[in-house]
Amino acid sequence: MKKLLLVDGNSMLFRAYYATVYGRPMTTSQGLPTNAVFGFANMMQKALDLISPDSVLVAFDAGKHTFRHELYSEYKGGRKPAPDDLVPQFGMVRDYLDGFGIRWVEMQDIEADDLIGTLSLKASDYETTILTSDHDLLQLIDDTTSVLLMKKGLTDMDRMDSAALKEQMGIRPSQIIDLKGLMGDHSDNIPGIPGIGEKTALKLLSQYDTVEGVLAHKDEIKGALGNKVREGEDSARLSKTLATIKRDVVLDFTADDCVFRPDYTSLVRFLKSLEMNTLAAKYTERITETASAAAQAAGYRRVQSVDPSFLEQDCAVYVDGSADMYLRAEVYGLALCSGDECCYISLEDVRKDQDLLAYLVADAPHKIGYDVKRSLHLLKRAGIPVSFHDDAMIMASLADSTLTSTDKIFDSYDLHTSVSYEDVYGRPSRPKLPDAEAQTAFACESAGNVMTLFAKTADTIKEEGMTDLYRSIEMPLTFILFEMEEEGIVCDINVLSEIAADMKAEMDGEMDAVYAISGREFNINSPKQLGEVLYDELGLPSGKKRSTSADVLEHLRKYHPVIDHILKYRKLQKIYSTYAEGLQKYICPDGKIHTIYNQCATQTGRLSSSEPNLQNISVRDEQGKLIRKAFLPSEGNVLISSDYHPIELRMLAHMADEKGLIDAFNSGIDIHTRTAMDVFDVSEDQVDSVMRRRAKTVNFGIVYGISDFGLAEQLGISRKEAAEFIHRYYKSYPGIRSYMQKIVEDCEKDGYVVTLCGRRRDIPEIRDKNRMIREFGKRAAMNAPIQGSAADLIKIAMIHIDKAIKQAGLRSRMILQVHDELIFDVPEEEKDTMQKLIEEGMVSAMKLKVPLTVECSVGRSWYEAK
């Protein structure tokens, strides 16, 4: 007979709290109380060890009001509010259960007792044990149900069945409600019959069996007791009703849906997050045992050579390797999953298996990877070529644009492994030799997850019309980005050091100026000390928070000259630490920086750069641009930089079909000058620098759904002036307003927007109850199709140019992409050819209603080429 464990969640949590609250305080280093969760976890594990259940359910009370309050408004009326340090642990204990893999339930107006009572009745084919400290649940005891009653502390439990209850109290389980009807229950504020206690109630039940039996013989009961029974008749009937557990709650699950599959990896992660390291350590040793069991149950095999029949099937290839940056990571082996079977083979054995090596490079069967670009890096250095056809990571991020990380992807599709990477290989600070069975289970389960993810996302992409986007743009781009990362860009550490030294001297000068104005030295990087100087000593106006953030300091510029020096110091410090000094650690032995391009990290489809981020090197000020002097071509080469002219405005003109903007772009006039002419109603020669700057700000602001408040902030004008400016802009270009309104309306209806190439961006925020979040959603809806289409455009251009370079047999290489800019490392003799090739590839990438134009420049450094 299968076993079912039902746990009275609230009862156990309160017991856990009061059993531990008077000992040594248990809190995290941030002061979060954890004693109740600790106690609950210990009691839970004791019950699990004792029972070894097949299914487990923990039931909680959902709130203070239940259907019993309709019968008796004072029900549970005497209870004190939960202690303050227990309140946050109600949510934490649910997180504990989620981490462990234990199902829990709560239902409005229904108590945990009723949920337990209903499931125990329905699960008649299970041997059921109820864990509680509440005697009310003893009424549920029957031939297949017993109660594990908590007595003292966290581990003292008493198993109660019919015989034990008869021996201890002299009554049957069904008489528990009669006992409560007569004597009441102080903890639940059930009145019973005033003046009758447990001893008297048990005596009455031994004579008359039930409340109804006692009341039927009320006139026979003599003396004061008889008077109490007769006067308390209504109260006894009500009390029995209140004490009776409801057993017909409508449940949308069964005991079979509560199968207990412990996730020790997730549990250990949760316990460590609460700094319960000793308790976590007790579960760590179970992880390998679980992995071994999972591997055996799933039929995962560790092989020295792959069976020939397997090599006739499509499969997912999981590259089992170290978690280092791709340039340093090493491969341990491969896990292959066909869907029906999975196997693991070490790198050493892969190299010996000639049939497998031939299979891996063949155009067929189909091979699916996850983060193919990283896999290609690891495999290339291991000398194992693989022809991947699909990337499940890219497919998942296309199917749902909100999934911008591996954790989000696998959590969304509920794809996990019985052991984690850390369980198998340890942490970077404490690596460990992997257990073979745990390694096999982890890698094979990972390969299985990749296959599952591929199957689940393929139909979505097809249904949402993104197959061509995936096949024609995203997958080809993966291989181009792989080559760009492999190539890298030369970075001269000596140039960086010189810039760092100059910048440090400039920083020191700004810091000295701050000290001189302030009248003393202090830690300029300490918000507390800076706040004291600004608000206490210099008397600058402050809000309640006394903030020293950049936006607050910008508003304080007009009050004191020290602010200019502080902001200048901060800007220099950021450039110094992030780039002048920070970039030096990324220079590899080949003298190059090999950044990583993230294809799935943004919702709009734009590429991002990391380790290091080369897309954030500022070009808005001279100090930021100086960093580009350190980026050089290869020996004997030059760098070519090619940048689209304001591409997002061109996209806006095309997508909105706005005649005014289209005419402006087709005429070749500077778009910001033309906008100033239209908005201010002046001729071209009357447009001054202020007009053009304002027009430029609103042009780019409109693309991002700028508000009058935002425009006022950027231009330093009143909100009323900004609103009037935006009004005049839309009056000049009515097609843009109509387009933006329709985009928002469609997004509110559909929940997503689409780029010119069919890329979808999901925008759930547009339907949020919070107005601020909804407004963000509207701005995202306005911007995403434009920014996303521009991102698709540069990707298409990269694909065209890469193909043209290879077809022409050139030695030039595309090495960087920075939003709308492409950078190439080009031999001197190919310079003219490449400029034509690059321009053609970028200009012809899309056919728009406005011309695409680019600016190509050549230099001996990235600084010169931009």
Side-chain angles (χ1 to χ4, degrees), residues 323-328 374 582-583 585-588 593-598 608-614:
D324 303 295
M325 180 185 175
Y326 72 84
L327 289 171
R328 296 185 294 272
R374 176 180 170 83
L583 286 177
K585 67 182 179 182
Y586 290 104
I587 299 176
C588 296
I593 285 179
H594 300 261
T595 187
I596 296 173
Y597 285 103
N598 307 298
S608 71
S609 164
S610 59
E611 297 189 66
N613 183 352
L614 296 183

Side-chain angles (χ1 to χ4, degrees), residues 529-597:
Q529 292 186 35
L530 180 59
E532 290 172 354
V533 170
L534 295 180
Y535 302 123
D536 297 335
E537 298 172 22
L538 298 180
L540 298 184
S542 68
K544 292 181 180 179
K545 294 183 179 179
R546 293 163 57 91
S547 174
T548 59
S549 63
D551 56 335
V552 171
L553 294 185
E554 283 287 349
H555 286 292
L556 294 176
R557 274 183 186 271
K558 58 187 177 184
Y559 293 105
H560 206 285
V562 75
I563 301 298
D564 285 332
H565 295 288
I566 293 170
L567 289 173
K568 180 75 177 294
Y569 171 83
R570 283 187 175 181
K571 183 174 72 173
L572 290 167
Q573 185 187 48
K574 182 176 181 181
I575 298 171
Y576 173 83
S577 61
T578 306
Y579 301 114
E581 281 284 326
L583 286 177
Q584 296 185 32
K585 67 182 179 182
Y586 290 104
I587 299 176
C588 296
D590 61 0
K592 294 182 176 183
I593 285 179
H594 300 261
T595 187
I596 296 173
Y597 285 103

Side-chain angles (χ1 to χ4, degrees), residues 42-190:
N42 276 283
M43 290 189 291
M44 194 79 202
Q45 191 57 56
K46 175 70 182 292
L48 292 171
D49 290 342
L50 198 62
I51 297 162
S52 299
D54 299 284
S55 293
V56 181
L57 178 74
V58 179
F60 291 101
D61 296 334
K64 293 183 178 180
H65 185 275
T66 71
F67 69 89
R68 290 180 176 85
H69 288 89
E70 303 298 328
L71 300 173
Y72 181 54
S73 62
E74 296 303 311
Y75 178 65
K76 293 189 176 181
R79 292 195 174 181
K80 297 179 181 178
D84 290 343
D85 56 342
L86 174 58
V87 172
Q89 298 187 74
F90 283 105
M92 290 157 61
V93 80
R94 288 162 170 78
D95 293 339
Y96 155 79
L97 295 170
D98 288 337
F100 206 165
I102 295 173
R103 185 164 185 159
W104 58 271
V105 64
E106 60 185 10
M107 192 177 295
Q108 282 300 125
D109 298 329
I110 300 296
E111 292 185 63
D113 292 3
D114 304 311
L115 297 169
I116 290 171
T118 299
L119 189 58
S120 65
L121 181 64
K122 290 179 180 293
S124 56
D125 55 338
Y126 277 80
E127 180 184 328
T128 300
T129 301
I130 298 169
L131 176 63
T132 185
S133 59
D134 188 349
H135 285 68
D136 288 1
L137 288 162
L138 294 172
Q139 66 187 271
L140 302 178
I141 293 172
D142 59 27
D143 291 341
T144 61
T145 303
S146 61
V147 173
L148 205 55
L149 198 63
M150 295 298 303
K151 296 174 69 177
K152 294 180 181 179
L154 299 176
T155 56
D156 191 1
M157 305 175 180
D158 196 359
R159 183 177 287 279
M160 300 293 290
D161 55 15
S162 296
L165 183 62
K166 186 71 175 177
E167 181 182 343
Q168 289 189 27
M169 301 184 70
I171 56 176
R172 305 183 309 277
S174 62
Q175 288 179 297
I176 288 290
I177 57 176
D178 297 290
L179 182 65
K180 300 283 184 180
L182 295 174
M183 64 177 279
D185 187 334
H186 177 71
S187 66
D188 288 340
N189 204 33
I190 295 176

